[in-house]
Amino acid sequence: AKGLNGTDLVILSNCVSFPKDYIQDVCSKYPYIFFHHDFNFYNGRLYYPMEKNNFKDCNRELWLPLYQNAKLHIWLSPLHREAYLVAFPELKSFPEVTIPSCLDVDMWKEVEGVERQKNTVIGINCLEPFKGRYNIYNYAKAHPELHFTFVGGGNPIDIPNVTYMPYVKNEELPRLYSQHEYFIHVPAYTEPFGRVSCEAILCGCKIITNENNGAFSFGFMRSPDRDIRNIREHLRLASLSWWEE
């Protein structure tokens, strides 16, 4: 493995673009851990249907021995780990840590002086089928009293109460979140984390979501009183926890 001479530990993260024989070579020569993003073992990668005993489109032959010989597994949420254990129940007793996806919590906050409009809903890059397009369509049809704003790609959906914004710069999103009462994120399949939900809740949005949202598998994200300060501190510590663990 070129460029790794003298390496004490290899961190394998989004490595699916590397040749498989290269990954196997690295793992045979160096101690390594997996910092899991997405679902490397599944053809869909960004999502996983999470069906027990259904290993279709899961490359267990390649990934199982690599996972079993890792020194540690790091997942982005309890749901992320649970999904891996559906595909690889052999990993249940292996060393693991669950750490939320890191984000700049000081950037994501309510913008002072911005009026939050009642009965408004915003969604970010959520109109692809695996992101929950049909879930959103059904929710919007069932709630004609709400007005929806969708930012990003994906074909329009056939409802009257909607506005589309093709692109918004990241630094402009806090203001946009602060203008809306609700944020919607209802993925069709298991999602490792879903950091946009965290961005929105830190900016004061109420969250419309489902059981496929990895971020909301953390107890601190589901507190009944929506303790934003507590959520902010948990997310602030994520980057520090990564190195401490």
Side-chain angles (χ1 to χ4, degrees), residues 98-202:
T98 302
I99 300 176
S101 185
C102 300
L103 67 159
D104 183 357
V105 297
D106 293 321
M107 172 182 174
W108 304 105
K109 56 188 176 183
E110 291 188 66
V111 177
E112 292 185 12
V114 173
E115 183 180 356
R116 195 177 300 277
Q117 301 295 318
K118 286 287 187 181
N119 296 324
T120 56
V121 184
I122 186 169
I124 307 293
N125 292 322
C126 58
L127 294 182
E128 296 296 338
F130 76 93
K131 285 286 189 179
R133 174 185 182 85
Y134 302 109
N135 293 337
I136 287 175
Y137 173 79
N138 290 333
Y139 189 90
K141 290 284 284 186
H143 294 276
E145 77 281 6
L146 299 177
H147 186 87
F148 294 79
T149 298
F150 297 124
V151 178
N155 293 324
I157 57 177
D158 186 21
I159 56 173
N161 49 329
V162 62
T163 299
Y164 297 98
M165 301 178 68
Y167 175 75
V168 173
K169 293 180 180 178
N170 216 38
E171 57 268 25
E172 295 173 0
L173 282 174
R175 173 174 290 274
L176 198 58
Y177 287 139
S178 297
Q179 292 171 347
H180 290 80
E181 184 176 6
Y182 299 97
F183 174 84
I184 190 166
H185 187 64
V186 283
Y189 303 105
T190 306
E191 193 170 79
F193 191 69
R195 59 182 293 153
V196 286
S197 298
C198 298
E199 297 170 2
I201 200 170
L202 292 177

Side-chain angles (χ1 to χ4, degrees), residues 11 23 25 37 40 56 68 79 98 102 105 129 132 164 168 196 198 206 210 230 236 244:
I11 301 173
I23 296 173
D25 184 48
H37 282 72
N40 289 341
K56 182 183 178 182
Q68 287 179 315
L79 181 64
T98 302
C102 300
V105 297
Y164 297 98
V168 173
V196 286
C198 298
K206 302 170 186 174
N210 63 9
N230 183 49
R236 186 190 303 278
E244 288 174 357

Side-chain angles (χ1 to χ4, degrees), residues 2-242:
K2 294 182 180 180
L4 294 178
N5 290 339
T7 297
D8 296 320
L9 181 71
V10 174
I11 301 173
L12 293 164
S13 187
N14 284 338
C15 55
V16 289
S17 296
F18 286 98
K20 301 300 185 286
D21 56 351
Y22 179 80
I23 296 173
Q24 291 172 314
D25 184 48
V26 168
C27 292
S28 70
K29 294 178 179 177
Y30 302 97
Y32 62 93
I33 67 174
F34 274 99
F35 180 25
H36 296 287
H37 282 72
D38 305 327
F39 300 101
N40 289 341
F41 62 85
Y42 184 67
N43 283 356
R45 189 176 71 80
L46 296 177
Y47 62 91
Y48 175 52
M50 198 171 159
E51 298 174 359
K52 289 186 177 181
N53 302 317
N54 181 3
F55 302 123
K56 182 183 178 182
D57 297 323
C58 297
N59 192 344
R60 281 176 49 86
E61 182 179 356
L62 169 66
W63 292 104
L64 178 57
L66 298 179
Y67 291 160
Q68 287 179 315
N69 289 311
K71 300 297 182 183
L72 179 70
H73 292 273
I74 302 174
W75 281 285
L76 296 180
S77 70
L79 181 64
H80 194 197
R81 177 176 182 266
E82 182 184 346
Y84 266 77
L85 294 184
V86 168
F88 299 93
E90 299 90 344
L91 300 181
K92 187 172 183 179
S93 61
F94 278 66
E96 55 88 15
V97 176
T98 302
I99 300 176
S101 185
C102 300
L103 67 159
D104 183 357
V105 297
D106 293 321
M107 172 182 174
W108 304 105
K109 56 188 176 183
E110 291 188 66
V111 177
E112 292 185 12
V114 173
E115 183 180 356
R116 195 177 300 277
Q117 301 295 318
K118 286 287 187 181
N119 296 324
T120 56
V121 184
I122 186 169
I124 307 293
N125 292 322
C126 58
L127 294 182
E128 296 296 338
F130 76 93
K131 285 286 189 179
R133 174 185 182 85
Y134 302 109
N135 293 337
I136 287 175
Y137 173 79
N138 290 333
Y139 189 90
K141 290 284 284 186
H143 294 276
E145 77 281 6
L146 299 177
H147 186 87
F148 294 79
T149 298
F150 297 124
V151 178
N155 293 324
I157 57 177
D158 186 21
I159 56 173
N161 49 329
V162 62
T163 299
Y164 297 98
M165 301 178 68
Y167 175 75
V168 173
K169 293 180 180 178
N170 216 38
E171 57 268 25
E172 295 173 0
L173 282 174
R175 173 174 290 274
L176 198 58
Y177 287 139
S178 297
Q179 292 171 347
H180 290 80
E181 184 176 6
Y182 299 97
F183 174 84
I184 190 166
H185 187 64
V186 283
Y189 303 105
T190 306
E191 193 170 79
F193 191 69
R195 59 182 293 153
V196 286
S197 298
C198 298
E199 297 170 2
I201 200 170
L202 292 177
C203 291
C205 292
K206 302 170 186 174
I207 308 299
I208 302 166
T209 191
N210 63 9
E211 71 281 357
N212 291 326
N213 187 338
F216 275 76
S217 63
F218 282 104
F220 68 83
M221 289 291 293
R222 302 192 307 270
S223 59
D225 57 353
R226 295 180 71 250
D227 187 346
I228 304 303
R229 181 179 298 179
N230 183 49
I231 293 171
R232 189 179 302 279
E233 288 312 304
H234 272 90
L235 295 174
R236 186 190 303 278
L237 293 172
S239 57
L240 298 176
S241 299
W242 200 97

